[in-house]
Amino acid sequence: MKLAVVGGGSTYTPELIDGFARLRDTLPISELVLVDPAADRLELVGGLARRIFAKQWHPGTIVTTSDLDAGVAGADAVLLQLRVGGQAARLGDETWPLECGCVGQETTGAGGLAKALRTVPVVLDIAERVRRANPDAWIIDFTNPVGIVTRALLQAGHKAIGLCNVAIGFQRKFAKLLEVAPSAVHLEHIGLNHLTWERSVRLGGPDGENVLPRLITEHGDAIADDLRLPRRVLDTLGVVPSYYLRYFYAHDEVVRELGTKPSRAAEVAEMEARLLEMYGDPALDEKPELLARRGGAFYSEAAVDLAASLLGDAGSGGSPVQVVNTYNNGTLPFLADDAVIEVQARIDACGAKPLPVAEVDPLYAGLIANVSAYEDLALHAALHGGRDRVYKALLAHPLIGQYEYAEGLTDRLIAHNREHLAWA
């Protein structure tokens, strides 16, 4: 089995490699190709990747290349983990929205739109080249904003599924609190990428006992602290929102905080420099502890599980039900069929089929519908460009929604991203 990772020079990649090495029986990779235009980073990451495989006696070969077409040729699956514009663009996404009094974040609000505008054309170009090289290859997208990027891929007819680590992170946290194996925890995870809620936590499968009320009663303080939300929010809602909901539920508080401390982008840039220095140490043959602070916890396990299920007989198979980003197709009746949602789905070689979802409370359905409408406008702007399309997408976003904010953010977005916007 051949897998290709586009964006393989990312400092995240050793987390992925570690998962591939540990779970080789689930996903038996014979060749893994790391593709990245940054040859210097790729050399450092690739060297560590080979040492990790060697230490764990993985028989697969790791190849590094800056040639995309050669890298994806013959691949059974292609994983996308891109950051167009690098950490410098992320720094902008996190700072210039604050000038208008709006949250600055790389996947949410105006910063998230900027990332989508930079990313969608690049990803679609890569996907077309993958299709030419191997039309049967699956594309697994980790690239943020995952919902918008996955929708772009699906609408262009690609065999694509989006993946995020939020659900698996909750699964692992809840399993630890419950003192059970993660595989015993089934989440009723609903919403859009980075806009999700855990409505139930069932033991043993979709029909098992719902222990979410007990989790909130016994561990609500710890869960709320992780989310940086008041305990009373969990008690009132009776659900666990993802930590991205803090940008909606405590927007003004977050804006004040972001104005008084260094940006996450600055922290990550410093961390990346230290990680790359570590990766260059020929004695290092495992992912360093510092990588856990970089983010992306458990995403290697999620990737292995998904790829194994999609590739069917090529491996021993992953879990039959996983949380992914895929077409709605009537699952949430208040959204269009071609909206991309993030829910539990049955995965096999034909792709993802969302499991049925119970009626969604208006408290959540309203926000989901609002953000889905924004994502539709955001994708339209990413595909066709134009200041008016950017403005309309920003005006539609529930974290913005005022014409003065939308005007100011539109001007700043274009000014900071002009080199990445062909139409600007």
Side-chain angles (χ1 to χ4, degrees):
M1 179 192 304
K2 177 179 177 179
L3 263 65
V5 179
V6 180
S10 168
T11 54
Y12 272 136
T13 299
E15 167 70 30
L16 192 62
I17 300 300
D18 178 74
F20 288 160
R22 288 185 292 100
L23 302 171
R24 57 185 172 273
D25 291 337
T26 303
L27 190 69
I29 300 170
S30 57
E31 182 180 359
L32 177 63
V33 184
L34 305 181
V35 184
D36 203 295
D40 51 344
R41 293 170 62 104
L42 192 58
E43 181 180 358
L44 295 173
V45 173
L48 175 58
R50 294 186 185 97
R51 295 192 296 273
I52 291 173
F53 263 31
K55 182 179 182 180
Q56 300 197 35
W57 299 97
H58 193 294
T61 300
I62 294 179
V63 177
T64 58
T65 181
S66 295
D67 185 334
L68 175 67
D69 296 313
V72 303
D76 297 287
V78 178
L79 283 64
L80 305 182
Q81 52 174 32
L82 313 178
R83 184 178 295 280
V84 179
Q87 293 299 328
R90 177 179 180 171
L91 179 61
D93 295 344
E94 294 182 357
T95 51
W96 52 261
L98 296 174
E99 298 171 5
C100 296
C102 296
V103 68
Q105 210 276 332
E106 64 162 339
T107 64
T108 299
L113 176 60
K115 196 172 197 300
L117 296 179
R118 294 192 303 267
T119 304
V120 165
V122 175
V123 166
L124 289 179
D125 176 67
I126 292 170
E128 285 298 331
R129 293 163 71 175
V130 170
R131 180 153 53 189
R132 288 198 299 268
N134 183 6
D136 293 326
W138 277 101
I139 296 176
I140 299 175
D141 177 58
F142 292 112
T143 300
N144 282 319
V146 167
I148 296 173
V149 172
T150 301
R151 190 170 182 177
L153 288 166
L154 290 173
Q155 288 187 356
H158 298 290
K159 292 178 60 177
I161 294 183
L163 190 60
C164 179
N165 72 322
V166 167
I168 194 173
F170 273 128
Q171 182 198 46
R172 299 306 172 88
K173 288 177 183 178
F174 293 156
K176 185 175 182 180
L177 292 172
L178 294 165
E179 298 181 339
V180 299
S183 59
V185 175
H186 178 91
L187 304 176
E188 187 187 2
H189 179 99
I190 63 154
L192 312 175
N193 180 241
H194 290 185
L195 191 87
T196 52
W197 297 261
E198 310 306 328
R199 292 203 301 181
S200 68
V201 177
R202 299 188 181 276
L203 293 181
D207 299 320
E209 177 192 3
N210 179 20
V211 296
L212 181 57
R214 172 157 63 94
L215 276 169
I216 293 176
T217 298
E218 297 178 2
H219 304 285
D221 288 342
I223 296 170
D225 285 346
D226 281 346
L227 300 174
R228 300 188 63 199
L229 288 171
R231 164 71 183 269
R232 65 180 181 276
V233 174
L234 302 187
D235 291 335
T236 301
L237 297 180
V239 304
V240 176
S242 80
Y243 48 84
Y244 287 94
L245 264 297
R246 186 168 183 261
Y247 297 116
F248 295 81
Y249 292 163
H251 176 272
D252 293 353
E253 178 183 342
V254 172
V255 169
R256 288 192 295 270
E257 288 178 3
L258 293 175
T260 60
K261 65 179 186 180
S263 70
R264 174 64 176 165
E267 294 175 358
V268 169
E270 180 181 352
M271 203 178 304
E272 284 200 334
R274 293 168 60 193
L275 285 169
L276 289 170
E277 184 177 356
M278 291 178 179
Y279 296 172
D281 181 357
L284 183 68
D285 56 7
E286 59 185 13
K287 63 179 183 180
E289 291 184 9
L290 178 61
L291 186 55
R293 292 169 48 199
R294 175 68 179 80
F298 308 119
Y299 96 113
S300 60
E301 285 90 340
V304 168
D305 218 13
L306 180 55
S309 296
L310 291 173
L311 298 178
D313 294 339
S316 62
S319 303
V321 175
Q322 300 166 39
V323 173
V324 295
N325 285 259
T326 191
Y327 269 154
N328 177 46
N329 281 338
T331 307
L332 301 180
F334 52 89
L335 296 183
D337 285 349
D338 66 350
V340 165
I341 59 174
E342 186 172 291
V343 294
Q344 293 275 12
R346 190 164 298 280
I347 311 296
D348 58 26
C350 296
K353 183 178 181 180
L355 299 184
V357 171
E359 183 178 357
V360 180
D361 188 289
L363 178 61
Y364 315 117
L367 186 53
I368 292 170
N370 193 168
V371 175
S372 183
Y374 149 76
E375 290 188 347
D376 188 38
L377 292 167
L379 179 54
H380 197 62
L383 293 174
H384 304 290
R387 186 185 189 282
D388 286 352
R389 294 188 180 95
V390 173
Y391 171 80
K392 289 176 182 177
L394 290 168
L395 191 62
H397 200 293
L399 294 182
I400 299 165
Q402 298 183 53
Y403 72 87
E404 288 187 356
Y405 289 167
E407 288 280 3
L409 290 168
T410 298
D411 292 337
R412 287 167 172 80
L413 185 156
I414 294 172
H416 284 272
N417 292 275
R418 196 177 300 277
E419 65 179 297
H420 301 291
L421 306 176
W423 51 267

